[in-house]
Amino acid sequence: QVQLQASGGGLVQDGGSLTLSCVFSGRTGSWYNMGWFRQAPGKDREFVAAINWNGISTEYTESVKGRFTISRDNTKNTVYLQMRSLKPEDTAIYSCAAEVNNVDVSVREDEYDYWGQGTLVTVSS
C-alpha cells in the first residue's frame, strides 16, 4: 500500500507564490512516477504536472508552463510543486498521485494508482 500526504496549500494574492509538498511511502523495491492534479470548484479534475521516478523527465499542462516547477527528493520521499505568478484561475484543491512501475510519466489520471488527500490553494484577486 502506498500512502501520500500533501501539504502547503493556503491563501495567496494574485502574483504570489506557494510550494506544495507530497510525502509518499510505499512498497520496497517499487518506483513511482508522481503527479499533481487539481480540481477547481464546479470543474473536473485536471492534470497539472508530473515527474518520473528519477526526476529526469517532467510534464506540465500548458497553462502552468513557465510558472510551476515539479521536483522530487527521493532521499526524503517527497515531491514538490513550486508555484509562481499565481493567478485566481489556479484556485483549486491540489492532489498528488503515484504511478507504480511505469517507465513513461503519465498525464492521465486513470493511470495513477494511488492518491493523497488534497490541499487547497486559493488565489485572491
Side-chain angles (χ1 to χ4, degrees):
Q1 184 70 15
V2 178
Q3 295 183 326
L4 302 98
Q5 180 73 42
S7 62
L11 174 64
V12 64
Q13 290 187 332
D14 190 354
S17 301
L18 275 177
T19 297
L20 306 183
S21 300
C22 175
V23 179
F24 59 93
S25 61
R27 307 181 304 209
T28 302
S30 296
W31 36 280
Y32 312 101
N33 297 333
M34 301 296 294
W36 285 98
F37 292 78
R38 66 186 180 186
Q39 186 167 21
K43 295 186 177 180
D44 293 333
R45 185 161 57 188
E46 65 171 351
F47 168 77
V48 177
I51 189 167
N52 79 323
W53 67 276
N54 62 5
I56 289 178
S57 178
T58 58
E59 292 282 350
Y60 296 92
T61 192
E62 194 63 35
S63 64
V64 309
K65 285 182 180 178
R67 301 189 298 122
F68 290 12
T69 302
I70 189 171
S71 61
R72 67 190 296 161
D73 184 344
N74 286 340
T75 65
K76 297 180 179 179
N77 281 3
T78 303
V79 176
Y80 305 96
L81 185 68
Q82 294 177 287
M83 305 184 294
R84 298 177 295 273
S85 301
L86 283 161
K87 305 174 182 180
E89 52 263 44
D90 294 316
T91 294
I93 296 174
Y94 285 71
S95 301
C96 57
E99 181 185 28
V100 181
N101 293 347
N102 192 351
V103 174
D104 297 319
V105 67
S106 177
V107 303
R108 293 178 47 175
E109 65 176 276
D110 62 355
E111 294 192 1
Y112 284 80
D113 304 290
Y114 299 96
W115 293 80
Q117 94 297 347
T119 185
L120 176 62
V121 173
T122 303
V123 184
S124 63
S125 57

